[in-house]
Amino acid sequence: MGDSLASLRTKLILVVALITIVSFVSVLVSNLRLVKADKEESLRQSNRQVSELVAKFVISQIGEYRRGLNYIYDSWSENPEFALQAEYFPDYAWVTIVDWTGKPVFEWENTKALQKSGISSHKLLGKRNKDSLFSEVRQVLSKSDDWLFFNSTVDPLMPTFLLGSEVSSETDDIRYVALAEIFADSLYKQVQSRDGQELMLIDSHQNLLLSTREGWDPSKIILSDDQTLEIVKALNVGEERLELIEPLQMEEQLSYMKKFKAGQGLTLILQEPYKNLTAGHKKIQWQSGIVGLIVLIFVINVIIFMAHRFTSPLRKLSDLMTLVGKGEFSGRVDVKSNDEVGKLAKGFNRMLHDLSERDGELNRAKQKLIQSEKMSAFGQMSAGIAHEVKNPLAGILGYAQMAKKKLEDRPEVFNYMEIIEKETTRCKEIVENLMRFARQEKANLQKIDINKAVQDSVRLVEHQITVSGIKIVQVYALEGKPIFVNGNMNQIQQVMLNLMLNAQHAMESKGTLSVSTHFDEVHKQVMIMISDTGCGMSAEVQARIFEPFFTTKGVGKGTGLGLSVTIGIIKDHKGNIDVDSTEGKGTTFTISLPAFGADEGEAETEEKKTA
Ligand SMILES: Nc1ncnc2c1ncn2[C@@H]1O[C@H](COP(=O)(O)OP(=O)(O)O)[C@@H](O)[C@H]1O
Ligand SMILES: [Mg+2]
């Protein structure tokens, strides 16, 4: 039972611990996911804002360049002899305008700037062919009124862009195409990115237009990361996307991409290492782990404590149950709680109380049964013996008395006959007692005065007892007025004699014999108490005194029948006899008998008197 309780406790602890761990982990995981989603969203927001700003700036810058080309075209169409002032267009390396057929109408070089950098306009074009560039621009323009802008750097020390756009006046029907090589420095200078972020622009040729990565070489224009390039190519105009990208031999990058509406695929990319995003994340994970552990330890302690509290009453119950199994009903469970276990304990205690009462009753009944069986066996035997012996004894006594009369003149034989008569009388008395015990003789019960019965009984033995040196004290209820019971005078007197002679034997030659009667008017009962200051009895003796033939007196002194006859008589009178004795101090026998009411009795005596 103890083991199963222990395992009940363990199960309880395990279940609650499991629930705690599972709920904690799920809360943690969902929280982390929320945090991550939130962070990604805020990153997307901030990247979108940054990108919007940069895109606006880049578009407005290119717009500026296009307006410059328009201005040049306007000036040329007003005055074909128009000469460009280099200081107003410091960003342009050269400008060419051709008509739709491809015939150049205007050409200009920023000789000053070119000379300064020591690069010829020819070198600036590199392997590119002006005619093919014009035809590319024309092709774009024939489909839409868009423009081209791409990285055209040949010398890393002098990065350049190429801008291709239509120039024409509203009044003209003729369409012209302008092409310009533009120094990249001013744009580079103005496009910056935050620490840890890399900002890239993809040009109309799907090449790198610019990158804010430190040490980036503007002549290295091929985007090394295919994955990014794939996405850029697949993006629609005006579309944006946030992607987690893992470039070869580089850490994971969270990439925000947005394709511009104009510029033939001009795209902005904002990249940030993914670990920047998850750094805080890891810290949260770690902290939550520790908090979780602390919570778990605390919870487990609480559970152990609670489990102990819940199961300890059960343990007490089970221990008690073991005792009950051994027939021990005196234990009780001390459980104060008012829950189911408390109720169980209370029920159990009630059950124990009932059980112990029933057990006591059962024992008493068993004892009574044994006693009555014994009595009935003795009774039958005694009745048999008494019946057989009674008549011969009567004969012996009769003849002894007759012989005595005839032998008065022979004193020596006369004395023998006297002894025979005395001893035979004694035997007769024993036999009579036996018969009484066996209740062969059922006495008639009638209304008798108990005070008188007791007084008469005392008078019978008074002389014999006081002579032996014992004092007699008598107290009568109702000042000795009659108290009536339904009884037999002779039998009551016999009971009194038995008890008083026993008392005398217990005291030997000194002490006090108290005889008293009490009347309980409420319960209509009369009590007779016979008290002595004699030797008293041990518990073992007390337990057996009502057994027939039980005596502690020597052979010839006691028959052991006095008290068994007494109890028989009292039972016949529907009464009770109790003994209270202390070894060395004395003994009190209390007889209680049902009585008529005192008045009733008196009224009847009055009636008798008058009658
Ligand atoms: N008043 C008493 N004081 C002490 N012992 C007593 C008293 N009355 C009875 N007993 C005990 O009870 C026993 C049985 O008494 P009883 O039935 O009258 O038989 P007997 O008197 O023949 O022994 C006695 O032997 C004695 O031990
Ligand atoms: Mg006796």
Side-chain angles (χ1 to χ4, degrees), residues 308-328:
H308 184 81
R309 278 198 61 170
F310 292 153
T311 56
S312 73
L314 292 178
R315 181 176 297 264
K316 282 187 209 156
L317 269 177
S318 94
D319 289 349
L320 207 63
M321 232 127 93
T322 319
L323 283 180
V324 169
K326 289 178 185 155
E328 170 63 64

Side-chain angles (χ1 to χ4, degrees), residues 31-48:
N31 265 1
L32 285 176
R33 287 174 75 157
L34 268 177
V35 167
K36 193 180 156 197
D38 185 59
K39 204 153 180 200
E40 274 185 14
E41 185 50 39
S42 75
L43 197 78
R44 189 195 291 267
Q45 290 283 342
S46 84
N47 282 2
R48 183 183 288 133

